[in-house]
Amino acid sequence: MEGGGWSWEQRTLVNELIQGMEFAKQLSFHLEGSSSVENAEILVQRILSSYEKALLILNWSGSVGHQPLQAAAVTAPVAAAATGSGSGVPGSPLSTNGSPRSEDFDGTKDHQAPINASKKRKTMPRWTDQVKVSSENGLEGPIDDGYSWRKYGQKDILGAKYPRSYYRCTYRNTQNCWAIKQVQRSDEDPTIFEVTYRGQHSCSFGQQQTVATPPAASPEKKEQIKHNFSSSNQQQPPPGEALLNLQKGLKVDTRDLDKREAVPFAFPSTYECQNSNFSQSFLSPATPEPNYYHVSPFVNSSGWAQTLQHSDSDLAEILSAQTSATSSPMLDLDFQLEPFELVPSFSYAPGYFS
DNA sequence: CGGATTTGACCACG
DNA sequence: CGTGGTCAAATCCG
């Protein structure tokens, strides 16, 4: 019942379903209006993706024998993810050209491998999640999204009040995982962090088994989901991603103005939907950390937006890369959801999963 | 001691 | 050139 008591699957499932509904609504909106076919297709993709994930979860927990998944309970500060960032991630398509096999790699540094690397980077799908962190006293802490990231830079952005930090997957070198993300704290609302992800994780354990998902279980998953209709939006995804992506959640990071250190978050138990009485359980105490916050992940249904973005040039590259790869339909053109378009009249009823 | 973070310098792009 | 992104040496932390 209480949000906090839900298992990861349940929450994710709900999230996915909600999201699917959201997208469906948007789609209908688009259909009525004179929207482009592209947008409609994108929405359809996302809807499918959401449902796919939802089904996956059901299927998964069903076959595996409903895992209790107490991941979070486990220990680490770096707990697991909670929601499905659902839309944010997985759906994002096109990896670069083909698959991240070992071919075009050269362990050289970015700088030195301009051609491959840069191109790769450019074609990487990019999406942004807006994560809100509500803290008790005004300080925020970083959130963990289940993946392990290594910070490689921080930069003051012109006009932005807070610096932007750059992270890359910890397994970049060991597993050629090129996923990166950057976190930018919002100017107006310091409790909001924009987390921009680029590239999908190709590392086998995107998230160090933090999440309860029994290691054994996830591998299977991948098999099942593999490509179906999703084949249209992701060519040969490195194995085992779907599920992992599902779990990826949010990550927020905060470094304080005063260069205060960010504290890793342990979290999962909290969901807070702006417009519902859903949730909000609080982070359980039990942590030695001075600051703990409670995070509410981008639940779009309640107004947190999430966007996919591409620049024109990116598009061009994607398109070309794409043709050579598979003739799959474009997935994310410059798809952008206006906040107001997002906020739907949707509100869920309190007894969701009771 | 090894891995992660910090931080100024460097690089590429517009 | 200015700006954003990345590198890498120094430093920090467990």
Side-chain angles (χ1 to χ4, degrees):
Chain A
M1 301 259 225
E2 0 147 11
W6 291 6
S7 65
W8 175 78
E9 291 102 299
Q10 288 177 309
R11 292 184 304 228
T12 306
L13 180 55
V14 170
N15 235 30
E16 290 305 332
L17 291 174
I18 289 173
Q19 227 150 32
M21 183 180 280
E22 265 332 304
F23 291 135
K25 285 187 177 183
Q26 288 170 38
L27 176 59
S28 100
F29 172 79
H30 277 286
L31 289 178
E32 288 180 41
S34 52
S35 288
S36 60
V37 181
E38 287 82 9
N39 282 349
E41 290 185 347
I42 292 167
L43 288 171
V44 169
Q45 284 296 334
R46 305 195 75 172
I47 291 169
L48 291 177
S49 174
S50 283
Y51 286 119
E52 178 188 20
K53 286 180 279 183
L55 288 174
L56 176 61
I57 292 168
L58 283 176
N59 193 19
W60 176 33
S61 36
S63 59
V64 175
H66 46 52
Q67 286 295 342
L69 19 129
Q70 320 292 8
V74 182
T75 37
V78 189
T83 96
S85 67
S87 47
V89 188
S92 318
L94 30 110
S95 38
T96 28
N97 17 328
S99 49
R101 309 234 165 176
S102 45
E103 351 172 351
D104 47 295
F105 238 112
D106 54 16
T108 44
K109 332 168 169 188
D110 256 15
H111 268 17
Q112 279 76 313
I115 308 174
N116 291 329
S118 82
K119 190 155 198 169
K120 201 167 204 166
R121 204 169 306 133
K122 284 191 177 176
T123 55
M124 286 201 249
R126 176 182 147 185
W127 62 93
T128 303
D129 282 347
Q130 297 203 343
V131 183
K132 173 165 187 166
V133 174
S134 23
S135 56
E136 315 291 288
N137 20 359
L139 282 183
E140 291 79 42
I143 305 174
D144 200 310
D145 58 8
Y147 281 107
S148 57
W149 302 95
R150 167 110 136 238
K151 185 173 183 176
Y152 65 86
Q154 175 171 308
K155 191 89 182 167
D156 285 315
I157 300 305
L158 191 70
K161 201 170 171 182
Y162 306 97
R164 174 179 301 166
S165 22
Y166 303 84
Y167 299 83
R168 67 175 189 225
C169 178
T170 304
Y171 310 108
R172 182 164 104 169
N173 298 317
T174 58
Q175 294 185 49
N176 290 336
C177 180
W178 292 84
I180 62 176
K181 75 167 181 181
Q182 34 186 254
V183 178
Q184 172 75 62
R185 188 178 190 171
S186 168
D187 285 334
E188 322 85 56
D189 189 343
T191 64
I192 292 182
F193 291 78
E194 288 187 358
V195 184
T196 301
Y197 294 88
R198 280 201 231 158
Q200 296 202 1
H201 281 272
S202 59
C203 49
S204 33
F205 13 54
Q207 28 203 7
Q208 22 187 10
Q209 60 270 58
T210 37
V211 173
T213 68
S218 40
E220 303 184 29
K221 248 47 224 151
K222 351 170 160 183
E223 292 304 320
Q224 305 187 338
I225 27 179
K226 52 174 88 168
H227 26 33
N228 261 336
F229 46 99
S230 52
S231 56
S232 56
N233 68 4
Q234 36 183 262
Q235 27 237 65
Q236 336 212 0
E241 251 188 279
L243 246 200
L244 295 179
N245 278 333
L246 276 180
Q247 305 174 353
K248 111 162 205 192
L250 46 182
K251 168 146 192 171
V252 170
D253 146 83
T254 310
R255 59 214 45 283
D256 234 64
L257 333 176
D258 303 330
K259 29 183 83 171
R260 182 153 306 228
E261 193 57 87
V263 188
F265 232 101
F267 74 103
S269 30
T270 321
Y271 264 123
E272 179 178 1
C273 283
Q274 269 175 232
N275 59 345
S276 70
N277 6 331
F278 214 37
S279 62
Q280 159 154 52
S281 33
F282 299 87
L283 266 204
S284 40
T287 5
E289 300 294 10
N291 6 11
Y292 256 91
Y293 312 87
H294 124 225
V295 187
S296 47
F298 42 79
V299 183
N300 323 351
S301 38
S302 38
W304 294 112
Q306 170 178 67
T307 54
L308 269 182
Q309 29 194 240
H310 271 299
S311 63
D312 290 345
S313 56
D314 279 352
L315 254 185
E317 303 221 19
I318 290 171
L319 282 173
S320 56
Q322 167 102 21
T323 25
S324 54
T326 318
S327 53
S328 37
M330 268 314 298
L331 212 295
D332 48 356
L333 302 180
D334 59 337
F335 176 48
Q336 299 188 318
L337 298 177
E338 297 298 318
F340 42 90
E341 277 185 285
L342 271 185
V343 188
S345 41
F346 177 85
S347 61
Y348 19 141
Y352 249 170
F353 256 105
S354 38

